[in-house]
């Protein structure tokens, strides 16, 4: 039996109650289920009660002295943030390409001349398992310090079996050893390796006939993702790859319409993807198809910001009924950040979303984008006790006061892991 935690008296407790079965759409994205002077009782890693402070004091009056009390007076309490799209397991860094882009080179030009994803692939190939683990572990600590408690993680910096396997094994070990939950995605279809440039279909065959079956057999991923983009994988190739994954129980995800319109959103609806991500250039037809099929639109305004491109039209997607989620896209090329709260501010300022909508997008809708809506993403009895306390008095101020890390306390699996904005010593890498 663990010591109960009693979080008390939040000025606003964002519960998002009633959202576990399906992602929120349209007006429901603004229904945060706020309780003023709200409190939560946590025991054994699970939320036991949520309500007004006075109600919980009455309910637990005989046990108050057993609990570790966390004072949230004047603060905002939300579900732990969920990041549904990252490439967190990588080695190296690409600030040289950042400098090149600032002088006019484009992201795709850099990639087509052997840099970009290929540069990170070389670095990831060269890194040992331990080096990759250590680098990624530090990134996870930074995520935690920004209030994030669950992170999706893609492979895709190998594009040959050995390195893809290494990335997925590192993700597995991180999930076991770091307090953050990692949800793994296979993304062997991240770029066409140089040796397959003249015969990309052969690489597609390799993915379908060898890598996907092995990943599934080893149970190393839940999702299968593909970069469907002009000059990378065509919609036909992407469809073959995603359908093959489905046969092995891997749920489709897709990097869609990021740089050019390519009917990626339409494809996501057609193959029954759980999410379509990026969508900067998605067509209205594609958005409508996503809405009809309940495909979550995972929007990454940090990537648009960093690539100096126009953001996806989040406002229009929400109005058309697409369930929208937000993510950092954390990766060394197009979005080297771990700050999901900054992405939430960009959601407001660059995509016309309201502060309430971005909270939903970074919690319960993000959880649904990685098939975790029943376990996390809202503060309800029986759900995992993943909770973030921000040092702001209300949810609007979180996005308004942008670029500042307001995270004060993080509870993960019912354990306090960040207090006063600092990580608990036991989580430092030297202890693992
Ligand atoms: O989501 N677009 C493709 N993949 C990543 C970028 C990866 C990289 O540049 O290293 C993305 O933006
Ligand atoms: Fe990505």
């Amino acid at each position: 039996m663990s010591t109960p935690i009693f979080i008390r008296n939040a000025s606003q407790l964002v519960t998002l109650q009633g959202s576990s079965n399906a992602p929120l759409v349209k007006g429901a994205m603004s229904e945060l289920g706020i309780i003023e002077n709200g409190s939560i009782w946590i025991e054994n890693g699970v939320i036991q009660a949520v309500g007004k402070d006075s109600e919980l004091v009455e309910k637990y009056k005989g046990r108050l002295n057993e609990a570790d009390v966390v004072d949230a007076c004047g603060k905002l309490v939300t579900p732990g943030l969920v990041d549904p799209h990252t490439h967190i397991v990588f080695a190296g860094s690409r600030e040289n390409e950042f400098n090149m882009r600032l002088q006019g080179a484009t992201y795709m030009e850099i990639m087509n001349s052997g840099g970009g994803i290929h540069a990170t692939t070389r670095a990831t190939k060269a890194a040992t398992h331990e080096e990759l683990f250590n680098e990624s572990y530090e990134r996870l600590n930074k995520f935690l310090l920004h209030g994030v408690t669950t992170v999706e993680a893609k492979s895709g910096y190998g594009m040959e079996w050995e390195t893809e396997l290494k990335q997925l094994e590192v993700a597995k070990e991180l999930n076991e050893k770091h307090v953050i939950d990692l949800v793994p995605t296979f993304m062997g279809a991240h770029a066409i390796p140089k040796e397959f440039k003249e015969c990309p279909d052969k690489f597609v065959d390799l993915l379908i006939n060898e890598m996907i079956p092995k990943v599934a057999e080893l149970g190393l991923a839940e999702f299968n993702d593909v970069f469907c983009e002009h000059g990378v994988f065509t919609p036909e190739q992407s469809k073959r790859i995603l359908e093959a994954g489905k046969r092995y129980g891997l749920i489709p995800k897709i990097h869609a319409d990021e740089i050019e319109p390519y009917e990626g959103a339409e494809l996501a609806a057609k193959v029954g993807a759980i999410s379509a991500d990026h969508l900067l250039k998605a067509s209205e037809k594609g958005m409508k198809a996503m809405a009809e099929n309940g495909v979550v639109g995972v929007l990454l305004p940090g990537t648009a910001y960093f690539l100096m491109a126009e953001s996806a039209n989040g406002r229009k997607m929400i109005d058309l009924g697409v369930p929208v989620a937000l993510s950092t896209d954390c990766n060394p090329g197009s979005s080297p950040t771990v700050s999901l709260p900054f992405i939430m501010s960009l959601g407001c300022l660059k995509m016309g979303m309201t502060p309430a909508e971005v909270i939903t997008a970074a919690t319960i809708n993000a959880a649904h984008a990685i098939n975790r809506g029943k376990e996390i993403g809202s503060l309800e009895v029986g759900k995992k006790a993943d909770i973030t306390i921000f040092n702001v008095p209300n949810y609007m101020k979180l996005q308004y006061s942008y670029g500042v890390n307001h995270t004060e306390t993080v509870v993960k699996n019912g354990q306090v892991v960040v207090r006063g904005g600092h990580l608990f010593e036991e989580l430092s890498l030297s202890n693992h």
Side-chain angles (χ1 to χ4, degrees), residues 3 69 279 337 385:
T3 309
V69 175
L279 303 169
T337 185

Side-chain angles (χ1 to χ4, degrees), residues 85 87 94 107 117 157 190 227 255 258 278 329 331 333-334:
H85 178 144
H87 305 256
R94 306 209 317 251
Y107 178 79
I117 292 172
Y157 290 126
H190 198 192
F227 189 9
H255 280 59
E258 177 182 355
H278 286 289
D329 193 18
N331 76 74
S334 67

Side-chain angles (χ1 to χ4, degrees), residues 180-253:
I180 285 187
D181 288 313
L182 242 79
V183 178
T185 295
F186 174 62
M187 198 179 178
H190 198 192
I192 312 276
K194 196 166 73 269
E195 53 283 21
F196 289 95
K197 226 173 170 175
E198 302 309 319
C199 52
D201 282 322
K202 290 230 164 76
F203 182 58
V204 174
D205 291 341
L206 185 70
L207 287 166
I208 291 177
N209 299 327
E210 294 184 28
M211 293 202 222
I212 288 175
K214 280 199 247 178
V215 167
E217 192 191 326
L218 295 169
L220 284 171
E222 293 180 33
F223 305 98
N224 180 31
D225 200 341
V226 50
F227 189 9
C228 178
E229 189 69 47
H230 199 257
V232 194
F233 294 93
T234 65
E236 294 69 35
Q237 292 166 334
S238 304
K239 184 162 183 277
R240 282 184 63 208
I241 294 165
L242 296 176
E243 293 289 0
K246 271 176 23 185
R247 292 196 290 276
Y248 289 93
L250 300 178
I251 302 170
K253 277 183 169 280

Side-chain angles (χ1 to χ4, degrees), residues 286-340:
M287 293 178 195
K288 285 185 176 154
M290 285 177 62
E292 274 160 29
N293 290 278
V295 181
V296 181
V298 175
L299 305 186
L300 312 151
T303 308
Y305 173 72
F306 197 70
L307 295 183
M308 298 171 282
E310 196 157 328
S311 294
N313 196 339
R315 179 75 268 136
K316 185 166 174 177
M317 287 185 220
I318 292 174
D319 293 344
L320 287 173
V322 177
V324 165
L326 284 171
S327 158
T328 60
D329 193 18
C330 176
N331 76 74
S334 67
S335 189
T337 185
V338 295
S339 180
L340 194 48

